[in-house]
Amino acid sequence: MASAASADTKEQLLNVAEQLIAERGYAGTTVRAIANQANANLAAVNYHFGSKEELFRAIFSRIAKPIVVEQLAILNGLQKKETLPSIEEILTAFLKPCFQKIVQNESFRTVRAQFMGRCWSEPEPLQSIASGEFMESRLAFLKILQQIIPDCSQRELNWKLDLVIATMIRVQNEAGKPDSLLKSSQPEDVDCAVHYLVRFLTPGMSV
């Protein structure tokens, strides 16, 4: 029973910290506030995670890993075709899991989108933590883009992909707000947002 209670406390700390960071940012979220809202002892954060930074890493990792797995699976399917995939297919493969996986948990849909949006704009070392979790998929997508757009230098592809990510972050940050591109966490709204983003970003990636 003790181990089950400990696991429940850990999960509650993760959930509460994710929500508070989404609302207030990393600097605006204290360990005490996390513990209080999770109905946990202040020492529980250090016990389960070691530090606030490692708590952040754990939250980001549990969101990012399924996204990366799905991105690479879609990319692998595209690469098995006889012809090279289009830029539209590559951008869809990159973006769609970022939104779909985030909104799978009904109770955390908008919070999770806002959390991911905030993470990319946080100072170091948080940005490095976020970038590191997505490095495998980033390198894989850069490699296929280099094949599709051979005249584009690696440096140029890097900043173009950074602009794709920046646009995605903006959409995630504004999720659920009036006049936002991602109007709600419903699957049809996610598909619509991804379709619009791909149409918008493809010309910039192509030039």
Side-chain angles (χ1 to χ4, degrees), residues 171-183:
V171 173
Q172 289 175 336
N173 253 331
E174 298 298 306
K177 295 181 182 179
D179 300 322
S180 63
L181 180 58
L182 186 57
K183 298 184 183 303

Side-chain angles (χ1 to χ4, degrees), residues 83-117:
T83 57
L84 282 173
S86 65
I87 293 174
E88 289 90 341
E89 288 176 316
I90 293 300
L91 286 175
T92 300
F94 185 83
L95 292 168
K96 199 164 188 177
C98 293
F99 290 103
Q100 283 187 330
K101 293 295 181 182
I102 284 173
V103 302
Q104 277 183 345
N105 187 324
E106 188 172 350
S107 60
F108 271 84
R109 284 173 172 172
T110 304
V111 167
R112 187 148 289 178
Q114 291 171 343
F115 173 84
M116 292 298 283

Side-chain angles (χ1 to χ4, degrees), residues 19-178:
Q19 182 171 358
L20 291 180
I21 292 171
E23 293 172 356
R24 307 174 186 178
Y26 181 81
T29 302
T30 64
V31 171
R32 184 176 296 278
I34 294 167
N36 286 344
Q37 194 158 321
N39 294 317
N41 189 289
L42 187 61
V45 172
N46 283 334
Y47 173 77
H48 287 288
F49 303 102
S51 68
K52 180 183 171 185
E53 183 179 311
E54 288 305 310
L55 170 58
F56 173 88
R57 188 189 299 274
I59 300 166
F60 197 91
S61 180
R62 73 170 182 171
I63 300 170
K65 286 188 186 302
I67 294 173
V68 171
V69 168
E70 183 67 12
Q71 284 178 323
L72 295 176
I74 297 172
L75 187 59
N76 185 52
L78 291 173
Q79 290 175 312
K80 287 180 178 179
K81 294 182 178 180
E82 293 183 2
T83 57
L84 282 173
S86 65
I87 293 174
E88 289 90 341
E89 288 176 316
I90 293 300
L91 286 175
T92 300
F94 185 83
L95 292 168
K96 199 164 188 177
C98 293
F99 290 103
Q100 283 187 330
K101 293 295 181 182
I102 284 173
V103 302
Q104 277 183 345
N105 187 324
E106 188 172 350
S107 60
F108 271 84
R109 284 173 172 172
T110 304
V111 167
R112 187 148 289 178
Q114 291 171 343
F115 173 84
M116 292 298 283
R118 270 191 180 274
C119 286
W120 293 100
S121 58
E122 292 284 358
E124 292 292 356
L126 305 183
Q127 279 197 29
S128 292
I129 291 172
S131 298
E133 290 290 339
F134 282 99
M135 188 56 66
E136 184 181 4
S137 66
R138 180 187 180 90
L139 293 176
F141 277 89
L142 284 171
K143 184 177 179 179
I144 188 65
L145 284 168
Q146 187 74 77
Q147 296 175 41
I148 298 169
I149 322 169
D151 293 335
C152 203
S153 69
Q154 191 70 30
R155 177 177 174 275
E156 190 176 358
L157 284 175
N158 260 302
W159 64 253
K160 282 186 176 184
L161 191 57
D162 282 342
L163 289 176
V164 170
I165 294 169
T167 306
M168 178 187 72
I169 292 166
R170 171 68 177 179
V171 173
Q172 289 175 336
N173 253 331
E174 298 298 306
K177 295 181 182 179

